[in-house]
Amino acid sequence: MGIEALSLSEQLILTLAALILFTSFLLLAQTRMVSLIHTFAWQGALLFAATVLMATSSGRHHLFISAGLTLALKVFFIPWQLRRLVVRLDIRREVETVGGASLIMIGAGALTLFSYYVVLPIRELSLLSTRNTIAISLAIILIGMLMIITRRKAVAQVIGFMSMENGLFFAAVVSTYGMPMVVELGVAFDVLVAAILFGIFFFQIRSGIGSLNVDHLNRLTEVDK
């Protein structure tokens, strides 16, 4: 089916899906912590717009609640919480990575191609006009995982984890018109609690080893027998 055969709302959803995937690449490309947090907020804003569009086009009004939770948590609260932490911990400067930036971006591109290959049987069976977004959702999840592997700072790894959750949420919205409301409220509450707990752990790690570089944790040795 060509894109010209799709309705305007379906074309907009595919455009938003491409932009959400683009923000995943931007997350990998950021070299400063504050820019990384702002990019994560933009990814949340695009996710909010896609959810509102799906709610409007499908008539599934419970998705408006999911969109409201996404706006409140992923666009405002979590970025504000992370920005406040990096200012208090004075880690606004460079984001340290494992390996070269070019190699990481090539890896992200390879994961995107791999995602399209993996979901090819699903695309053939699915009747959804937006079935291409399933591959994009999987690519967002895998790129978030790549970000966790290639970043040294704990804050950047948390943003990678949150980006993976964005990919799972987007897959649920475009594939099944969202999860049951009880599940979505539970996930939103878990994300909220995780954001608060991560903040506490950041301070504990910083006070314990003097850095948020997770490589330092590997050098810890047991002193007391």
Side-chain angles (χ1 to χ4, degrees), residues 30 78 109 128 134 154 179 183 191 195 213:
Q30 297 303 319
I78 293 177
L128 292 171
I134 300 173
M179 295 172 283
V183 177
V191 170
N213 190 327

Side-chain angles (χ1 to χ4, degrees), residues 19-82:
L19 291 174
I20 293 172
L21 178 61
F22 180 64
T23 55
S24 291
F25 280 87
L26 285 180
L27 286 173
L28 282 176
Q30 297 303 319
T31 57
R32 291 186 177 273
M33 197 66 75
V34 174
S35 301
L36 187 66
I37 295 171
H38 289 168
T39 306
F40 174 74
W42 275 109
Q43 188 178 67
L46 292 169
L47 197 59
F48 161 75
T51 308
V52 169
L53 200 56
M54 284 296 293
T56 305
S57 61
S58 66
R60 309 296 176 99
H61 299 298
H62 71 279
L63 287 177
F64 285 114
I65 300 176
S66 303
L69 291 172
T70 300
L71 182 67
L73 291 178
K74 298 175 182 176
V75 180
F76 292 111
F77 178 75
I78 293 177
W80 169 77
Q81 175 81 354
L82 290 175

Side-chain angles (χ1 to χ4, degrees), residues 3 7 9 47 50 55 64 78 97 113 124 136 193:
I3 192 169
S7 65
S9 61
L47 197 59
F64 285 114
I78 293 177
T97 60
L113 294 176
E124 298 299 326
I136 293 177
V193 172

Side-chain angles (χ1 to χ4, degrees), residues 40 78 157-167 191 194-195 198:
F40 174 74
I78 293 177
Q157 293 182 342
V158 167
I159 293 177
F161 172 77
M162 295 289 181
S163 179
M164 287 179 63
E165 199 277 329
N166 282 347
V191 170
F198 280 138

